[in-house]
Amino acid sequence: MEFLSVIAAAAAAFVLGAAYYGALAKPWVEASGVECDETGKPKGGQSPMIFAMAFVLQLIVAGMMRHVFSLSGIESLGAGLIGGAGIGLFFISPWIALNNMYGMRPVKLTLIDGGYATLACAAAGLVLTMF
């Protein structure tokens, strides 16, 4: 059952990412500096492999979150939500900020990507505690 909760949590984070970055596509493209064609889509297109790897990476994060939650005794929906948000806000977002800072990327990019990390981990934490 725990394996199914990890898959469901990764799926929730993945779907949330589609909605989040769909809504923030233009500001993200501007902040990231990704070159786009005249239609506004990234040059060269996006391979389906990128999306497959994104899901695999989210499975890894959700799996580790499940392990940490288990060791920490996080079982309630509220604790899962707060625990997940804390992982996104205090573990993942600072790492994104660090990488963007050294890469001299705009703060706007860090806020967009860190915001997604926080929301996605909160959603994953909530889903992990539903099973």
Side-chain angles (χ1 to χ4, degrees):
M1 194 64 145
E2 288 183 6
F3 185 69
L4 290 178
S5 72
V6 170
I7 292 171
F14 188 83
V15 169
L16 180 63
Y20 183 87
Y21 283 107
L24 295 173
K26 187 174 179 164
W28 183 88
V29 166
E30 290 169 359
S32 69
V34 169
E35 290 188 41
C36 294
D37 62 21
E38 53 280 344
T39 67
K41 299 201 185 244
K43 283 188 176 178
Q46 292 181 324
S47 162
M49 184 56 95
I50 292 172
F51 298 102
M53 284 304 302
F55 187 76
V56 168
L57 293 169
Q58 288 174 329
L59 274 173
I60 292 168
V61 171
M64 190 63 199
M65 284 177 65
R66 175 74 241 147
H67 177 68
V68 169
F69 282 14
S70 179
L71 291 175
S72 302
I74 294 175
E75 297 176 357
S76 72
L77 293 176
L81 181 69
I82 297 298
I87 288 169
L89 186 61
F90 298 112
F91 289 144
I92 298 175
S93 292
W95 209 281
I96 290 169
L98 180 68
N99 289 340
N100 286 347
M101 180 181 64
Y102 279 110
M104 294 182 279
R105 308 301 290 261
V107 171
K108 183 178 182 179
L109 181 64
T110 299
L111 293 173
I112 292 169
D113 290 341
Y116 168 66
T118 302
L119 290 174
C121 286
L126 185 64
V127 171
L128 286 171
T129 54
M130 292 174 132
F131 291 85

